[in-house]
Amino acid sequence: MSDHATPRKVIHVRAGEGPSTWLSGDAYTVKLRHEESGGSLTFMEASVPPGGGPPLHVHADADEAFYLLAGELEITADGETHQVGVGDFVFVPKGTAHKFRNPGVHTARQLLLFTPSGVDRFFLEAGKQAVPGTPPPAPELEDLAYVSAVGERYQLFQADAYQGSARQA
């Protein structure tokens, strides 16, 4: 039985619920998993501390949408940086190199939507399980080789690695 054949049903995830993981110094909570959506989308909430955000990367097989709930972010995509405020929405098509960073002094909160789904598997496998009452570890403490290897299994690449593989193809 394929992932897409899983029967879908109404799902209600309450505030504060869903598996949470730490990655790149940020906290991510998965609200809708690949299996639950039948492969159609992944929905997540992210908390990005001041200075936080992932390095430049590419989702080779999924579009990503950002909606900012609190704070501020700089979202760089396709070489252009967008100053994003509360209520702003940004869409990044698959295959586009992008990153985000919190330039503020307060934690930013955003909603993330990926379609098709599957990137939730990356976050849950590559990240560390979040511990309530404890801040995320600094990104420098991550095993970047491990995170990159897990990412490649889920079609998520560091931008320089993706550009190199695209040139070879």
Side-chain angles (χ1 to χ4, degrees), residues 3 34-35 58-62 116-126 146-157:
D3 292 330
H34 173 82
E35 294 79 10
V58 175
H59 300 276
D61 66 348
S117 66
V119 76
D120 53 306
R121 295 168 165 178
F122 162 73
F123 281 91
L124 295 172
E125 185 177 337
Y146 172 75
V147 172
S148 292
V150 172
E152 289 180 12
R153 285 201 303 274
Y154 297 104
Q155 297 298 300
L156 192 156
F157 302 91

Side-chain angles (χ1 to χ4, degrees), residues 80-97:
E80 186 176 343
T81 299
H82 304 269
Q83 303 302 318
V84 180
V86 173
D88 286 0
F89 172 86
V90 177
F91 172 78
V92 177
K94 68 182 172 185
T96 304

Side-chain angles (χ1 to χ4, degrees), residues 36-149:
E36 296 166 327
S37 74
S40 64
L41 67 96
T42 292
F43 193 75
M44 298 172 46
E45 183 175 348
S47 294
V48 184
L56 192 65
H57 63 281
V58 175
H59 300 276
D61 66 348
D63 295 328
E64 182 173 7
F66 302 83
Y67 184 82
L68 194 61
L69 298 171
E72 57 186 300
L73 289 175
E74 293 174 343
I75 298 178
T76 301
D78 206 17
E80 186 176 343
T81 299
H82 304 269
Q83 303 302 318
V84 180
V86 173
D88 286 0
F89 172 86
V90 177
F91 172 78
V92 177
K94 68 182 172 185
T96 304
H98 65 285
K99 66 180 179 176
F100 57 85
R101 182 181 169 282
N102 178 350
V105 296
H106 299 287
T107 297
R109 287 183 46 243
Q110 64 178 327
L111 298 176
L112 302 169
L113 179 118
F114 300 89
T115 182
S117 66
V119 76
D120 53 306
R121 295 168 165 178
F122 162 73
F123 281 91
L124 295 172
E125 185 177 337
K128 295 196 181 315
Q129 183 174 356
V131 178
T134 306
E140 299 82 33
L141 299 178
E142 288 181 336
D143 181 346
L144 296 179
Y146 172 75
V147 172
S148 292

